[in-house]
């Protein structure tokens, strides 16, 4: 795990993905871009335990496909900046995640740098949604105002 000594961005990210190979790819991409991976995990309960033990919330929590984990973490830590990375662009799925309180939703494999752009946006207290789901996010926002 990166110690943060070379953390140019001063942004700490947690990566939660049940696929170790994909998780490792995300971790390497983040670390190579100057982010510090606070922890990585395969599932939600383990992530909750790591947050509890570490005593520090990540600035951004990247969750691959696992909507239940996103909801679990946001119930416990409503201010956590959660970024969903998914292949699911179904309006119902996206809306469900927006209702749960995610700060960003990116479509996997749409743009190789999309994850880094999204992590940067969320770390700056902005929202980020991939092009393919921005319309759903905008409609949801309008309905909440």
């Amino acid at each position: 795990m990166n110690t943060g000594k070379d953390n140019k961005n001063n942004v700490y990210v947690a990566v939660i993905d049940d696929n170790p190979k994909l998780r490792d790819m995300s971790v390497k991409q983040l670390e190579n871009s100057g982010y510090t991976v606070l922890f990585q995990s395969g599932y939600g309960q383990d992530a909750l335990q790591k947050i509890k033990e570490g005593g520090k919330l990540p600035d951004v929590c990247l969750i691959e496909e696992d909507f239940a984990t996103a909801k679990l973490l946001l119930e416990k830590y409503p201010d956590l900046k959660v970024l969903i990375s998914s292949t699911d662009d179904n309006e119902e799925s996206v809306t469900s995640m927006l209702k749960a309180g995610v700060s960003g939703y990116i479509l996997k494999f749409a743009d190789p740098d999309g994850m880094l752009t999204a992590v940067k946006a969320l770390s700056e207290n902005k929202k980020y949604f991939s092009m393919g789901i921005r319309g759903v996010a905008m409609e949801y926002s309008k309905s909440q105002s």
Side-chain angles (χ1 to χ4, degrees), residues 79-123:
D79 294 330
L80 185 63
K81 304 289 184 231
V82 171
L83 173 62
I84 291 289
S85 176
S86 178
T87 56
D88 188 350
D89 63 353
N90 176 289
E91 183 175 343
E92 189 176 319
S93 299
V94 174
T95 302
S96 171
M97 286 293 87
L98 292 169
K99 285 179 182 175
V102 300
S103 300
Y105 194 115
I106 57 173
L107 295 174
K108 277 186 178 187
F109 315 120
D111 172 9
D113 294 323
M115 178 195 39
L116 297 174
T117 303
V119 167
K120 183 177 189 310
L122 270 61
S123 73

Coordinates of all heavy atoms in Angstrom, one line a residue, residues 79-123:
D79 N -21.5 11.3 4.3 CA -20.7 12.3 3.6 C -19.6 11.7 2.7 O -18.8 12.4 2.1 CB -20.0 13.2 4.7 CG -21.1 14.0 5.4 OD1 -22.2 14.3 4.8 OD2 -20.9 14.4 6.6
L80 N -19.5 10.4 2.7 CA -18.4 9.7 1.9 C -18.7 10.0 0.4 O -19.8 9.9 0.0 CB -18.5 8.2 2.2 CG -17.4 7.4 1.6 CD1 -16.0 7.7 2.0 CD2 -17.7 5.9 1.9
K81 N -17.7 10.3 -0.3 CA -17.8 10.5 -1.7 C -17.6 9.2 -2.4 O -16.5 8.6 -2.5 CB -16.7 11.5 -2.2 CG -16.7 12.8 -1.5 CD -17.8 13.6 -1.9 CE -17.7 15.0 -1.2 NZ -18.9 15.4 -0.6
V82 N -18.7 8.6 -2.9 CA -18.7 7.3 -3.5 C -18.8 7.4 -5.0 O -19.7 8.1 -5.5 CB -19.9 6.4 -3.0 CG1 -20.0 5.1 -3.8 CG2 -19.7 6.1 -1.5
L83 N -17.9 6.8 -5.7 CA -17.9 6.7 -7.1 C -18.2 5.3 -7.6 O -17.4 4.4 -7.2 CB -16.5 7.1 -7.6 CG -16.3 7.0 -9.1 CD1 -17.2 7.8 -10.0 CD2 -14.8 7.3 -9.5
I84 N -19.3 5.1 -8.3 CA -19.6 3.8 -8.8 C -19.0 3.6 -10.2 O -19.1 4.5 -11.0 CB -21.2 3.6 -8.9 CG1 -21.8 3.6 -7.5 CG2 -21.5 2.4 -9.8 CD1 -21.5 2.3 -6.8
S85 N -18.4 2.5 -10.4 CA -17.9 2.1 -11.7 C -18.6 0.9 -12.1 O -18.5 -0.1 -11.5 CB -16.4 1.9 -11.7 OG -15.9 1.4 -12.9
S86 N -19.4 1.0 -13.2 CA -20.3 -0.1 -13.6 C -20.5 -0.2 -15.1 O -20.2 0.8 -15.8 CB -21.6 0.1 -12.9 OG -22.6 -0.9 -13.3
T87 N -20.9 -1.4 -15.5 CA -21.3 -1.5 -16.9 C -22.8 -1.3 -17.1 O -23.3 -1.3 -18.2 CB -20.9 -3.0 -17.4 OG1 -21.6 -3.9 -16.6 CG2 -19.4 -3.2 -17.4
D88 N -23.5 -1.1 -16.0 CA -24.9 -1.0 -16.0 C -25.4 0.5 -16.1 O -25.2 1.3 -15.3 CB -25.5 -1.5 -14.6 CG -27.0 -1.6 -14.6 OD1 -27.7 -1.1 -15.5 OD2 -27.5 -2.2 -13.6
D89 N -25.9 0.8 -17.3 CA -26.4 2.1 -17.6 C -27.9 2.2 -17.5 O -28.5 3.2 -18.0 CB -25.8 2.6 -18.9 CG -26.3 1.8 -20.1 OD1 -27.0 0.8 -19.9 OD2 -26.0 2.3 -21.2
N90 N -28.5 1.2 -17.0 CA -30.0 1.1 -16.8 C -30.5 2.3 -16.0 O -29.9 2.5 -14.9 CB -30.4 -0.2 -16.2 CG -31.8 -0.3 -15.9 OD1 -32.4 0.3 -15.0 ND2 -32.5 -1.2 -16.7
E91 N -31.5 3.0 -16.4 CA -32.0 4.2 -15.7 C -32.4 3.9 -14.3 O -32.1 4.7 -13.4 CB -33.2 4.8 -16.5 CG -33.7 6.0 -15.9 CD -34.8 6.7 -16.7 OE1 -35.0 6.3 -17.9 OE2 -35.5 7.5 -16.1
E92 N -33.0 2.7 -14.1 CA -33.4 2.4 -12.7 C -32.2 2.2 -11.8 O -32.2 2.6 -10.7 CB -34.2 1.1 -12.8 CG -34.9 0.7 -11.5 CD -35.8 -0.5 -11.6 OE1 -36.5 -0.6 -12.6 OE2 -35.7 -1.4 -10.7
S93 N -31.1 1.5 -12.3 CA -29.9 1.3 -11.5 C -29.3 2.6 -11.2 O -28.8 2.8 -10.0 CB -28.9 0.4 -12.2 OG -29.5 -0.9 -12.5
V94 N -29.1 3.5 -12.2 CA -28.5 4.8 -11.9 C -29.3 5.6 -10.9 O -28.7 6.1 -10.0 CB -28.3 5.5 -13.3 CG1 -27.7 6.9 -13.0 CG2 -27.4 4.7 -14.2
T95 N -30.6 5.6 -11.1 CA -31.4 6.4 -10.2 C -31.4 5.9 -8.8 O -31.3 6.6 -7.8 CB -32.9 6.4 -10.7 OG1 -32.9 7.0 -12.0 CG2 -33.8 7.2 -9.8
S96 N -31.3 4.6 -8.7 CA -31.2 3.9 -7.3 C -29.9 4.4 -6.6 O -29.9 4.7 -5.4 CB -31.2 2.4 -7.5 OG -30.9 1.8 -6.3
M97 N -28.8 4.4 -7.4 CA -27.6 4.9 -6.8 C -27.6 6.4 -6.4 O -27.0 6.8 -5.4 CB -26.4 4.6 -7.7 CG -26.0 3.1 -7.8 SD -25.3 2.4 -6.2 CE -26.8 2.0 -5.3
L98 N -28.2 7.1 -7.3 CA -28.3 8.6 -7.0 C -29.2 8.8 -5.7 O -28.8 9.6 -4.9 CB -29.0 9.3 -8.2 CG -28.1 9.4 -9.4 CD1 -29.0 9.9 -10.6 CD2 -26.9 10.3 -9.2
K99 N -30.2 8.0 -5.6 CA -31.1 8.1 -4.4 C -30.3 7.7 -3.1 O -30.5 8.3 -2.0 CB -32.3 7.2 -4.5 CG -33.4 7.8 -5.4 CD -34.6 6.9 -5.5 CE -35.6 7.4 -6.4 NZ -36.7 6.5 -6.6
A100 N -29.4 6.8 -3.3 CA -28.5 6.3 -2.2 C -27.5 7.3 -1.7 O -27.0 7.3 -0.6 CB -27.8 5.0 -2.5
G101 N -27.2 8.2 -2.7 CA -26.3 9.3 -2.3 C -24.9 9.3 -3.0 O -24.0 10.0 -2.5
V102 N -24.7 8.5 -4.0 CA -23.4 8.5 -4.7 C -23.1 9.8 -5.3 O -24.0 10.6 -5.7 CB -23.3 7.4 -5.8 CG1 -23.5 6.0 -5.2 CG2 -24.2 7.6 -7.0
S103 N -21.8 10.2 -5.3 CA -21.4 11.4 -5.9 C -21.0 11.3 -7.3 O -20.8 12.3 -8.0 CB -20.2 12.0 -5.1 OG -20.5 12.1 -3.7
G104 N -20.8 10.1 -7.8 CA -20.4 9.9 -9.2 C -20.7 8.5 -9.7 O -20.9 7.6 -8.9
Y105 N -20.8 8.4 -11.0 CA -21.2 7.1 -11.6 C -20.5 7.1 -13.0 O -20.8 8.0 -13.8 CB -22.7 7.0 -11.7 CG -23.2 5.6 -12.0 CD1 -24.0 5.0 -11.1 CD2 -23.0 5.0 -13.3 CE1 -24.6 3.7 -11.4 CE2 -23.5 3.8 -13.5 CZ -24.3 3.1 -12.6 OH -24.8 1.9 -12.9
I106 N -19.6 6.2 -13.2 CA -18.9 6.1 -14.4 C -19.2 4.8 -15.1 O -19.3 3.8 -14.4 CB -17.4 6.4 -14.3 CG1 -16.7 5.4 -13.4 CG2 -17.1 7.8 -13.9 CD1 -15.2 5.4 -13.3
L107 N -19.2 4.8 -16.4 CA -19.4 3.5 -17.1 C -18.0 2.9 -17.4 O -17.1 3.6 -17.9 CB -20.1 3.8 -18.4 CG -21.6 4.3 -18.2 CD1 -22.2 4.6 -19.6 CD2 -22.4 3.2 -17.5
K108 N -17.9 1.7 -16.9 CA -16.6 1.0 -17.1 C -16.3 0.9 -18.6 O -17.1 0.7 -19.4 CB -16.7 -0.5 -16.6 CG -16.5 -0.6 -15.2 CD -16.5 -2.1 -14.9 CE -16.2 -2.3 -13.4 NZ -16.1 -3.7 -13.1
F109 N -15.0 1.0 -18.9 CA -14.5 0.8 -20.2 C -14.9 1.9 -21.2 O -14.5 1.8 -22.4 CB -14.8 -0.6 -20.7 CG -14.5 -1.7 -19.7 CD1 -15.6 -2.5 -19.3 CD2 -13.3 -1.8 -19.1 CE1 -15.4 -3.5 -18.4 CE2 -13.1 -2.8 -18.2 CZ -14.1 -3.6 -17.8
A110 N -15.7 2.9 -20.8 CA -16.1 3.9 -21.8 C -14.9 4.8 -22.1 O -14.7 5.2 -23.2 CB -17.2 4.7 -21.2
D111 N -14.1 5.2 -21.1 CA -13.0 6.1 -21.2 C -11.9 5.7 -20.2 O -12.2 5.7 -19.0 CB -13.5 7.6 -21.0 CG -12.4 8.6 -20.9 OD1 -11.2 8.2 -21.3 OD2 -12.6 9.7 -20.6
P112 N -10.8 5.3 -20.7 CA -9.7 4.9 -19.8 C -9.3 5.9 -18.7 O -9.0 5.5 -17.6 CB -8.5 4.6 -20.7 CG -9.0 4.7 -22.1 CD -10.4 5.3 -22.1
D113 N -9.4 7.1 -19.0 CA -9.1 8.2 -18.0 C -10.3 8.7 -17.3 O -10.2 9.5 -16.4 CB -8.4 9.3 -18.7 CG -7.0 8.9 -19.3 OD1 -6.3 8.1 -18.6 OD2 -6.7 9.4 -20.3
G114 N -11.5 8.1 -17.6 CA -12.7 8.5 -16.9 C -12.6 8.4 -15.4 O -13.1 9.2 -14.6
M115 N -12.0 7.3 -14.9 CA -12.0 7.1 -13.5 C -11.1 8.2 -12.8 O -11.5 8.7 -11.8 CB -11.4 5.7 -13.1 CG -11.2 5.5 -11.7 SD -10.2 4.2 -11.0 CE -8.8 4.1 -12.1
L116 N -10.0 8.5 -13.4 CA -9.1 9.5 -12.8 C -9.8 10.9 -12.8 O -9.7 11.6 -11.9 CB -7.8 9.6 -13.6 CG -6.9 8.3 -13.5 CD1 -5.7 8.4 -14.4 CD2 -6.5 8.0 -12.1
T117 N -10.5 11.2 -13.9 CA -11.2 12.5 -14.0 C -12.3 12.5 -12.9 O -12.5 13.5 -12.3 CB -11.9 12.6 -15.4 OG1 -10.8 12.5 -16.4 CG2 -12.6 13.9 -15.5
A118 N -13.0 11.4 -12.8 CA -14.1 11.3 -11.8 C -13.5 11.4 -10.3 O -14.1 12.2 -9.5 CB -14.9 10.0 -11.9
V119 N -12.4 10.7 -10.0 CA -11.9 10.8 -8.7 C -11.4 12.2 -8.4 O -11.7 12.7 -7.3 CB -10.7 9.8 -8.6 CG1 -9.9 10.1 -7.3 CG2 -11.2 8.4 -8.6
K120 N -10.8 12.9 -9.4 CA -10.4 14.3 -9.2 C -11.6 15.2 -8.9 O -11.6 16.0 -7.9 CB -9.6 14.8 -10.4 CG -9.1 16.2 -10.3 CD -8.3 16.6 -11.5 CE -7.6 17.9 -11.4 NZ -8.3 19.0 -10.9
A121 N -12.7 15.0 -9.7 CA -13.9 15.8 -9.5 C -14.5 15.6 -8.1 O -14.8 16.6 -7.4 CB -14.9 15.5 -10.6
L122 N -14.6 14.4 -7.7 CA -15.2 14.0 -6.4 C -14.3 14.6 -5.2 O -14.8 15.1 -4.2 CB -15.5 12.5 -6.2 CG -16.8 12.0 -6.7 CD1 -17.1 12.3 -8.1 CD2 -17.0 10.6 -6.3
S123 N -13.0 14.5 -5.4 CA -12.1 15.0 -4.4 C -12.2 16.5 -4.2 O -11.8 17.0 -3.2 CB -10.7 14.6 -4.6 OG -10.1 15.3 -5.7

